[in-house]
Amino acid sequence: MSVVIGYKELSDELRRRIDSGEFGPGDKLPKITELMEEYGLARQTVRGAIGELADEGLVVAIRKAGTIVRHRTPVVIPLNRYRHVMAPDGAKGPWETATASQGLDGSMELVRVERFPADAELGGLLDASGGELVYRLRHAVIRPDDVVQIQHAWYPAELADAAGIATAEKVRGGVYRALAAAGFTPVSISETVAARAPSAGESARLRIGGKVSVLVVERLTRDATGRALEVLRTVAPADRIRLSYDDLPLAPGS
């Protein structure tokens, strides 16, 4: 055991114990009173050390549950997940497809569906200036309750109604398949990826500290006519998501 005289030394010692596997993902750290006794430190010193680990994303403090070691195993999200979900016999959406291929129990949980008029930015993207949009807020979860992504998606209301996605019910097989079944087949996507610090709300939902950056992926989906079908914004901890863009064609015309 290292010599511990302050919160920095204690955070280093607890970090070492986590990295060594003594405390694995989902495990509880000893209670504050137990750490006080074990290391002979004041309550505020122990709180400071745990706070530093939480800020780094190593642990998360859950009310009435204690301080839990955070899962940090990254999930690989391949670009070809979109092609797989368009298979006619598929029943999983992109997130479920990607996680299932890695042996993870991933699911999408719909938080709410709302309608509101398009602002200038969304209206311009969805060719719906002045029209009504459908908004869906979803959480991408790895069971039992590990929220790994927050997704906001917007659709033209007419299209969403026709495809049956303006509902609080689960869309079996994902939104893309529902759009295709309604005659709005997704043909192309454009994605941009950026990194930034999380907002307070994002930190709370994703159970990450302020020092853990988030990746923001914005996706625009169009059909064969160029019509915009969906605008999607995904926010995920940078240490949990790996975006994979494999086997992209380089030959002209491919």
Side-chain angles (χ1 to χ4, degrees):
M1 181 184 297
S2 304
V3 176
V4 176
I5 59 175
Y7 84 91
K8 283 288 187 182
E9 290 81 10
L10 179 57
S11 65
D12 288 344
E13 173 67 9
L14 293 175
R15 189 182 297 106
R16 181 193 65 77
R17 295 173 71 178
I18 291 171
D19 290 341
S20 71
E22 180 180 348
F23 301 119
D27 290 346
K28 290 184 182 180
L29 290 187
K31 296 179 181 178
I32 289 179
T33 53
E34 294 171 342
L35 291 172
M36 290 169 59
E37 181 177 350
E38 180 177 355
Y39 291 99
L41 296 172
R43 179 180 297 272
Q44 191 60 32
T45 302
V46 175
R47 285 187 180 276
I50 292 176
E52 182 165 286
L53 296 181
D55 205 31
E56 295 174 3
L58 291 178
V59 301
V60 57
I62 302 176
R63 189 176 181 181
K64 296 183 179 181
T67 303
I68 311 298
V69 177
R70 181 170 162 261
H71 289 268
R72 290 178 290 153
T73 302
V75 182
V76 179
I77 308 296
L79 181 66
N80 63 15
R81 66 193 184 277
Y82 301 121
R83 183 175 69 249
H84 291 325
V85 301
M86 295 302 295
D89 58 345
K92 298 180 181 294
W95 172 254
E96 294 166 335
T97 299
T99 51
S101 69
Q102 297 162 69
L104 300 172
D105 186 10
S107 66
M108 293 298 306
E109 295 186 354
L110 184 62
V111 180
R112 63 177 177 269
V113 177
E114 298 175 333
R115 288 177 181 265
F116 57 89
D119 60 18
E121 179 184 10
L122 283 173
L125 290 172
L126 290 171
D127 305 320
S129 182
E132 190 180 51
L133 292 175
V134 171
Y135 154 88
R136 296 167 60 88
L137 173 59
R138 297 174 291 188
H139 286 174
V141 176
I142 294 176
R143 296 296 178 189
D145 61 353
D146 187 14
V147 177
V148 185
Q149 293 186 23
I150 303 169
Q151 293 189 350
H152 296 79
W154 296 267
Y155 310 90
E158 179 183 0
L159 179 153
D161 288 335
I165 60 177
T167 172
E169 300 297 322
K170 178 179 174 60
V171 179
R172 179 173 172 78
V175 169
Y176 273 12
R177 187 172 290 105
L179 290 171
F184 309 106
T185 302
V187 169
S188 69
I189 61 170
S190 299
E191 279 192 347
T192 61
V193 183
R196 60 168 170 79
S199 68
E202 290 164 351
S203 292
R205 285 176 180 164
L206 297 169
R207 294 181 176 178
I208 57 175
K211 292 183 180 179
V212 179
S213 296
V214 292
L215 293 180
V216 181
V217 181
E218 298 199 356
R219 181 181 84 203
L220 175 62
T221 303
R222 298 183 182 276
D223 66 10
T225 69
R227 178 182 182 180
L229 306 179
E230 175 195 65
V231 172
L232 179 76
R233 180 178 298 125
T234 297
V235 179
D239 63 351
R240 293 300 310 274
I241 296 296
R242 291 182 181 171
L243 299 171
S244 175
Y245 299 91
D246 292 338
D247 299 323
L248 299 181
L250 292 178
S254 59

